[in-house]
Amino acid sequence: MKKVLFLFLLLYSIVVSSQNEEKTIIVKDIDTEKPIEDATIFISKTKQTLLSNAEGTTSFILNGISNIQITHSSYSTIKLRSNILKDKTNVVYLKNNITGLDEIIITKQHPQKILKTIVDNSIKKLTIPARLKVYSREFFKLNGTNSYYNDGLLNFQLLGTTKNFKSDVLVEQNRSYGLVYEDISNDVLGYNLNNIMQNYYNFKYLNPILEPKAKKEYDFLIKSYSKNDDYYLMTVTPIDNAKQMLDDFTILYDRKKKLIIEASSYVSPMTVAKLKEKTAVGSKNIYKSLFKTIYRQDNFNYYLVSSKEEIGFERIDKKNSKTDIEVKNYFITTNFSTHKFTYKDSEVFKEKTLYSIKNSILTNYWDVSGLTPTEEEEAIISNLEFRP
């Protein structure tokens, strides 16, 4: 009887482990063999969304057989069954779907007016109420040294309407490593979780190019998108004689549905080179700034998939004294649902950033975060984790 019971337990453990296998997918360009960053991997069975990192890599726990969809705005979408992933690490190739040249689109309306229409429609179509399970990750570098790291698994309940938007945050798990310096202001460290979703769901980052004066400060251009016939690409670039720091913007949108698929901006090296260095105490000389957001259309739902923000600047502390600060933030929606949470008001996270609270680690949530760290990032995290 003991032998039978032992055999049963052995077989059960084998079945469970086979149903919960960790798999890694490396997404590459079929022609160049180069890794593809920001490819979205959707696991149908668990409704989990993952994002490939700069090495094209993503890891996840496979719970039984599932359909997997891999999409990227510049490549043909592929669908596969998980049972073809025989190895722990599997390379999946995407084909660049360029069908022709990117042609300039001539419009009767000014592109800025078209952009306003697209933004308004995108805000209107974003699914609210909704529930987002989000993984957040942040790296902080001080004077060239990696000094601080935090990440967390968060639950956002999006409520209200587009005109009266509200989000409640529940922190499921979180961890912080490294040193936080008293002379670093709170507005530098971490997302402000109280308003981050409002920013992304109202496309606040596009406000500078929606203002009336932007027509005099920027050149607007719309092109066809040869990598996907359903999309147009709008570029908004500062005019040559701009005397202040203005970002370069790109907006990829569905030309028929009038929905934003990706929005990004960055400060070009040319813009930085033109800027006069500030010398007043407390001022900041920005040398790097970028953000990128990706949105997903899923049947009747439309929601934020991911965001990435980076900023680097020198802060003038006093004469001949500067502090160099770099911050890199990631945000990824691992699960989306239209169901509401059940929670008490006392459970809602009231702080602005994760670094201000104690660690709460119940599981290795980062292993199924949807965003696998690169080798360089993993080395940073490990080094800070064991710092005395």
Side-chain angles (χ1 to χ4, degrees):
M1 185 64 183
K2 290 182 179 179
K3 290 182 178 179
V4 173
L5 180 60
F6 175 77
L7 182 60
F8 171 78
L9 292 174
L10 180 62
L11 290 172
Y12 177 77
S13 64
I14 292 173
V15 170
V16 171
S17 63
S18 65
Q19 290 179 339
N20 293 275
E21 295 181 278
E22 182 179 351
K23 295 287 186 180
T24 296
I25 289 178
I26 303 175
V27 187
K28 292 186 176 183
D29 186 300
I30 195 171
D31 296 316
T32 65
E33 291 274 342
K34 291 183 178 180
I36 300 173
E37 186 177 8
D38 292 339
T40 302
I41 297 90
F42 183 71
I43 314 298
S44 297
K45 186 173 183 179
T46 59
K47 306 298 182 184
Q48 185 182 14
T49 303
L50 314 127
L51 202 68
S52 62
N53 62 21
E55 297 169 345
T57 301
T58 187
S59 298
F60 55 97
I61 302 297
L62 190 59
N63 182 13
I65 297 175
S66 174
N67 289 326
I68 298 175
Q69 183 186 64
I70 304 177
T71 59
H72 191 284
S73 60
S74 299
Y75 293 85
S76 298
T77 297
I78 67 168
K79 295 180 180 179
L80 52 88
R81 293 283 284 175
S82 61
N83 56 353
I84 72 168
L85 304 176
K86 301 298 184 182
D87 301 320
K88 184 176 180 179
T89 301
N90 305 266
V91 179
V92 176
Y93 293 96
L94 300 188
K95 182 175 178 56
N96 197 311
N97 55 1
I98 295 178
T99 56
L101 298 175
D102 294 333
E103 299 179 348
I104 296 175
I105 304 300
I106 306 300
T107 61
K108 294 181 179 179
Q109 292 181 320
H110 190 281
Q112 189 197 53
K113 188 172 183 179
I114 294 173
L115 179 59
K116 287 181 178 179
T117 299
I118 293 166
V119 170
D120 289 342
N121 187 61
S122 297
I123 292 173
K124 181 180 177 181
K125 294 296 183 181
L126 282 162
T127 304
I128 304 173
R131 184 177 73 190
L132 307 182
K133 183 181 285 291
V134 169
Y135 175 69
S136 175
R137 174 185 293 161
E138 177 187 43
F139 295 91
F140 175 79
K141 185 181 288 187
L142 183 67
N143 293 325
T145 301
N146 292 297
S147 305
Y148 180 73
Y149 171 83
N150 78 43
D151 66 14
L153 195 60
L154 316 173
N155 293 288
F156 284 83
Q157 180 67 62
L158 310 184
L159 303 164
T161 64
T162 54
K163 293 183 178 180
N164 186 24
F165 186 90
K166 180 187 176 184
S167 65
D168 284 341
V169 187
L170 295 143
V171 179
E172 193 171 306
Q173 300 186 61
N174 67 284
R175 59 176 179 166
S176 299
Y177 299 130
L179 303 174
V180 178
Y181 299 85
E182 292 182 359
D183 62 341
I184 304 303
S185 60
N186 293 2
D187 62 341
V188 173
L189 280 170
Y191 285 111
N192 184 339
L193 299 175
N194 291 324
N195 65 15
I196 192 66
M197 280 300 173
Q198 286 92 327
N199 293 342
Y200 292 145
Y201 272 58
N202 290 320
F203 297 91
K204 180 181 177 180
Y205 294 91
L206 299 181
N207 283 351
I209 55 176
L210 295 175
E211 297 175 357
K213 65 177 183 179
K215 287 184 179 180
K216 297 180 180 179
E217 296 175 330
Y218 292 91
D219 289 324
F220 291 75
L221 185 66
I222 300 176
K223 288 185 176 183
S224 61
Y225 194 63
S226 60
K227 300 171 183 178
N228 191 321
D229 291 337
D230 293 330
Y231 298 160
Y232 277 167
L233 182 68
M234 183 181 295
T235 59
V236 187
T237 54
I239 59 175
D240 291 337
N241 60 350
K243 296 181 180 179
Q244 57 182 315
M245 191 182 74
L246 300 176
D247 291 30
D248 287 56
F249 291 83
T250 59
I251 301 95
L252 184 68
Y253 64 95
D254 189 309
R255 61 189 181 91
K256 295 179 181 178
K257 296 180 181 179
K258 307 298 182 186
L259 293 177
I260 293 175
I261 305 301
E262 296 178 6
S264 62
S265 76
Y266 75 102
V267 177
S268 73
M270 291 180 61
T271 297
V272 173
K274 293 178 183 178
L275 297 176
K276 185 178 180 180
E277 185 174 351
K278 300 175 184 177
T279 57
V281 174
S283 59
K284 300 174 183 177
N285 290 305
I286 295 175
Y287 57 82
K288 177 174 65 175
S289 177
L290 66 88
F291 96 94
K292 180 179 181 180
T293 51
I294 300 175
Y295 297 83
R296 176 181 173 85
Q297 301 176 71
D298 181 13
N299 297 322
F300 298 105
N301 296 313
Y302 175 53
Y303 57 94
L304 174 77
V305 167
S306 69
S307 73
K308 177 170 62 177
E309 297 186 41
E310 293 185 37
I311 187 167
F313 60 89
E314 282 188 339
R315 187 185 63 193
I316 309 301
D317 296 325
K318 55 185 179 179
K319 189 175 181 180
N320 299 324
S321 178
K322 301 177 182 178
T323 300
D324 188 283
I325 296 171
E326 289 186 52
V327 184
K328 183 189 297 184
N329 296 319
Y330 296 97
F331 220 53
I332 177 169
T333 299
T334 61
N335 287 94
F336 168 87
S337 173
T338 55
H339 298 295
K340 291 185 178 180
F341 287 115
T342 300
Y343 57 92
K344 300 176 183 178
D345 184 66
S346 59
E347 297 173 316
V348 176
F349 182 66
K350 305 294 185 180
E351 303 290 335
K352 291 183 177 180
T353 62
L354 287 178
Y355 86 91
S356 59
I357 61 175
K358 294 181 179 179
N359 287 8
S360 175
I361 303 172
L362 306 176
T363 64
N364 291 354
Y365 62 89
W366 48 87
D367 289 338
V368 290
S369 66
L371 184 62
T372 304
T374 63
E375 290 184 6
E376 180 184 6
E377 290 171 341
E378 187 60 56
I380 294 171
I381 296 168
S382 299
N383 180 59
L384 293 174
E385 180 181 2
F386 297 105
R387 175 179 290 183

